[in-house]
Amino acid sequence: MKRAFNLVLLAVIVSACSQREQTTPQPDPAGRKNVVFILSDDHRYDFIGFMGKVPFLETPHMDRMATEGAHVQNAFVSTSLCSPSRASILSGQYAHNHKVVDNQSLIPEGTVFFPEYLQKEAGYQTGFIGKWHMGEHHSGKRPGFDFWASFKGQGVYYNPTINFNGQDQVHGDSAYVTDVLTDYAIDFISNRDQEKPFFLYLSHKGVHADFKPAKRHIGKYENEPVAYPPTMFPPGHERSTVSADEYNYEDLPNWAKAQRNSWHGVDYMYHGQINFEDFYKRYCETLLSVDESIGTVLDYLEKEDLLENTVVIYMGDNGFSFGEHGLIDKRQAYEESMRVPMLAMGGGIPAASAVREVVQNVDVGPTVMDLAGLETKAHMDGSSFKKLLYQESIPWRDTVYYEYFWERPFPQTPTVHAVRTSQYKYIRYHGVWDINELYDIENDPNEMNNLIRNEDYAEVAKGLREALFTWLSETGGESMPLKPDHGKRFDHIYRGTY
């Protein structure tokens, strides 16, 4: 790919590495690991080849990570939305603490992201490449990073403009954003200061809607059949595959039933601009380039003998619904929305291993800091799962807490709080006259039978609700954010009004 780099800027950032004799990398004497953190957008936890959910989906490089490293089987986000999740990754805090509660909220002044500690306290060289978001509709310097190649807002899939260390570079000739970002990632590693450990954050646009695959992948899955989830259609619907005894649709919240016919519902998705089957297939095709990017990074690290001392972590920023309860997108607390893929390999992580403990996005920062020899900061809500990656037994949580705050641009989904254990999930809705939800996810993984009215489970619901409010009280999450409205309403029923 034709690219013109500003060599003067690059030299300032990474030193004149090319003038030094290349030597075989040596393990860091302090035991610090290099870390490559690869983040994708809207990748749900089970859309990976080895998971078998989508029979035709091929992800050989993600599969390789699971075979040669660890599969973190129960990874979750604390808020299933791009900006809040990304802020939680970088800050180690829940959304109610870092305050980036939606895609428009700016990062509060004084917020410190964990790469800054890597720079200042552990001597790391840091690079950020790709999607930043978090209310920042510019492509300028990313705090905590020596090197950045980023873009404004959501960016574009084809012919992107990338701000490379302060200089805009336009990529034409049908350049594809995933490929472009991968090239920058390899440039950062290859031109780094080899006297320092490094941290690379490769943050992909893919697979965010609207899905646009690389041209080499368009139509690859065009003739493949799409499997609908059992809760996509209510019992009695002409396309339903379940009975009322199997799917307790009566006790599905009214907001979810109404959302079927909305921007994020299967009956009027994106205001009728695309059908479900095409949407599903384009998503899978768009994911292929992300998998290829992972492969390119792994191959380069292996070729340069860096894998032995480099931990590569792959994760999705939030999940994504494909018809479950008639919904698409994320935001809600159902499994496919709040659960994400997570894989880790390299750096001595045991091959073909599994981490079954529940891990969240707030744990990423503390874990990378631990790999760098640093302790978790007191203001962080997360904990390091480094020892879990190396199959060491440590005291660990069994519970996931979740929050999502109502957004004006997408008013279909209310404010949500949830608590999930290995067996149960309790979901509470705020500000709407609607039913809450309780699921025995151990025996009902598709969340088809809301038990909230079942007296046999009343104490379970009560205990989980108490645990939820204890968590909110102990972590400072009892206040609700109120953000100003911008522009006219977007939802199709009341579109154009104030």
Side-chain angles (χ1 to χ4, degrees):
M1 185 178 295
K2 295 181 179 178
R3 309 236 333 265
F5 289 99
N6 187 321
L7 296 178
V8 175
L9 280 174
L10 186 59
V12 171
I13 298 299
V14 301
S15 303
C17 304
S18 60
Q19 297 178 13
R20 296 198 302 265
E21 181 181 352
Q22 300 297 306
T23 58
T24 301
Q26 298 297 314
D28 185 89
R32 300 171 297 182
K33 302 293 186 185
N34 304 312
V35 180
V36 176
F37 179 70
I38 304 175
L39 187 72
S40 61
D41 199 309
D42 287 356
H43 185 194
R44 58 182 277 164
Y45 77 101
D46 52 1
F47 273 46
I48 306 179
F50 71 85
M51 293 289 286
K53 169 76 173 181
V54 185
F56 58 79
L57 181 59
E58 301 163 307
T59 57
H61 306 294
M62 296 181 197
D63 298 354
R64 176 191 174 187
M65 290 192 71
T67 300
E68 299 182 22
H71 177 205
V72 183
Q73 297 177 340
N74 293 292
F76 296 84
V77 294
S78 49
T79 304
S80 185
L81 187 61
C82 296
S83 288
S85 181
R86 290 162 188 267
S88 288
I89 288 168
L90 282 166
S91 69
Q93 295 179 308
Y94 296 117
H96 63 250
N97 284 327
H98 62 59
K99 308 301 183 186
V100 182
V101 295
D102 54 32
N103 284 342
Q104 289 74 45
S105 296
L106 293 170
I107 301 161
E109 193 171 334
T111 302
V112 179
F113 292 151
F114 78 83
E116 296 179 61
Y117 299 120
L118 299 183
Q119 289 175 315
K120 297 173 183 177
E121 298 180 17
Y124 273 62
Q125 185 177 23
T126 58
F128 180 87
I129 294 162
K131 179 179 173 179
W132 183 258
H133 217 9
M134 290 180 284
E136 299 284 358
H137 296 289
H138 66 75
S139 55
K141 180 171 175 55
R142 303 315 190 190
F145 295 95
D146 305 305
F147 172 111
W148 79 95
S150 191
F151 49 77
K152 299 177 182 178
Q154 293 285 3
V156 296
Y157 276 107
Y158 301 117
N159 301 330
T161 297
I162 305 294
N163 185 317
F164 172 60
N165 292 338
Q167 178 177 322
D168 281 345
Q169 297 185 342
V170 180
H171 297 267
D173 299 326
S174 298
Y176 188 64
V177 67
T178 307
D179 302 335
V180 170
L181 297 179
T182 305
D183 285 348
Y184 280 110
I186 300 302
D187 288 335
F188 169 73
I189 302 172
S190 62
N191 290 295
R192 73 193 188 283
D193 181 348
Q194 296 191 25
E195 299 301 315
K196 295 181 177 181
F198 69 87
F199 170 65
L200 169 63
Y201 189 148
L202 174 54
S203 178
H204 284 298
K205 173 178 172 59
V207 284
H208 194 279
D210 59 354
F211 313 128
K212 293 185 183 297
K215 291 188 176 180
R216 60 186 177 275
H217 297 139
I218 295 174
K220 180 177 177 63
Y221 297 136
E222 185 61 36
N223 297 320
E224 297 292 346
V226 172
Y228 302 127
T231 58
M232 182 159 171
F233 303 104
H237 189 282
E238 62 180 3
R239 301 180 69 180
S240 177
T241 59
V242 294
S243 67
D245 290 336
E246 296 171 294
Y247 182 20
N248 179 14
Y249 189 73
E250 179 182 353
D251 285 334
L252 183 71
N254 289 321
W255 73 261
K257 294 175 182 176
Q259 194 171 136
R260 290 185 65 94
N261 189 42
S262 77
W263 181 264
H264 291 149
V266 296
D267 293 339
Y268 195 50
M269 49 196 297
Y270 298 119
H271 293 170
Q273 296 173 33
I274 191 171
N275 66 57
F276 183 83
E277 287 77 10
D278 288 344
F279 185 70
Y280 189 106
K281 294 171 183 176
R282 297 299 87 77
Y283 177 92
C284 292
E285 291 168 358
T286 304
L287 183 62
L288 296 179
S289 63
V290 175
D291 185 69
E292 290 177 350
S293 174
I294 293 171
T296 298
V297 172
L298 293 178
D299 289 346
Y300 182 84
L301 293 172
E302 188 171 46
K303 178 174 69 88
E304 297 297 320
D305 295 322
L306 287 166
L307 262 181
E308 183 179 340
N309 199 48
T310 303
V311 173
V312 181
I313 300 173
Y314 171 72
M315 183 183 183
D317 71 341
N318 49 249
F320 203 85
S321 295
F322 273 104
E324 289 84 2
H325 300 302
L327 306 177
I328 60 167
D329 200 70
K330 57 258 186 176
R331 293 174 167 83
Q332 2 86 18
Y334 299 127
E335 285 290 281
E336 56 280 352
S337 173
M338 64 185 288
R339 197 169 178 179
V340 293
M342 181 179 281
L343 303 161
M345 69 172 282
I349 292 173
S353 58
V355 175
R356 295 179 176 85
E357 289 84 354
V358 292
V359 167
Q360 289 198 264
N361 51 357
V362 293
D363 300 322
V364 171
T367 302
V368 176
M369 290 174 63
D370 197 359
L371 289 164
L374 301 177
E375 294 184 359
T376 301
K377 300 300 182 181
H379 68 274
M380 292 180 166
D381 296 311
S383 302
S384 170
F385 58 90
K386 171 187 170 182
K387 290 185 177 180
L388 298 179
L389 291 176
Y390 289 93
Q391 297 296 293
E392 296 183 44
S393 179
I394 57 174
W396 197 256
R397 70 175 82 93
D398 176 55
T399 305
V400 171
Y401 293 99
Y402 179 86
E403 60 188 352
Y404 164 78
F405 299 103
W406 178 87
E407 300 168 275
R408 158 72 186 280
F410 300 101
Q412 306 95 318
T413 306
T415 291
V416 182
H417 286 91
V419 54
R420 181 197 186 277
T421 68
S422 58
Q423 182 167 2
Y424 296 107
K425 181 189 292 181
Y426 171 78
I427 309 174
R428 178 186 183 274
Y429 299 106
H430 186 89
V432 291
W433 186 25
D434 213 332
I435 193 168
N436 292 330
E437 295 174 277
L438 175 69
Y439 293 102
D440 179 352
I441 53 177
E442 188 175 274
N443 297 299
D444 179 22
N446 292 314
E447 299 169 303
M448 298 175 70
N449 185 22
N450 183 6
L451 299 169
I452 201 70
R453 296 186 195 269
N454 189 324
E455 283 299 318
D456 293 340
Y457 292 88
E459 287 302 310
V460 174
K462 178 183 177 183
L464 291 175
R465 188 181 68 176
E466 289 175 351
L468 175 63
F469 278 93
T470 298
W471 169 71
L472 289 170
S473 175
E474 292 179 348
T475 62
E478 292 181 308
S479 62
M480 294 277 188
L482 178 62
K483 301 295 180 179
D485 292 342
H486 299 282
K488 294 183 177 180
R489 290 182 62 159
F490 176 75
D491 45 311
H492 71 278
I493 298 177
Y494 309 108
R495 189 191 306 179
T497 68
Y498 287 97

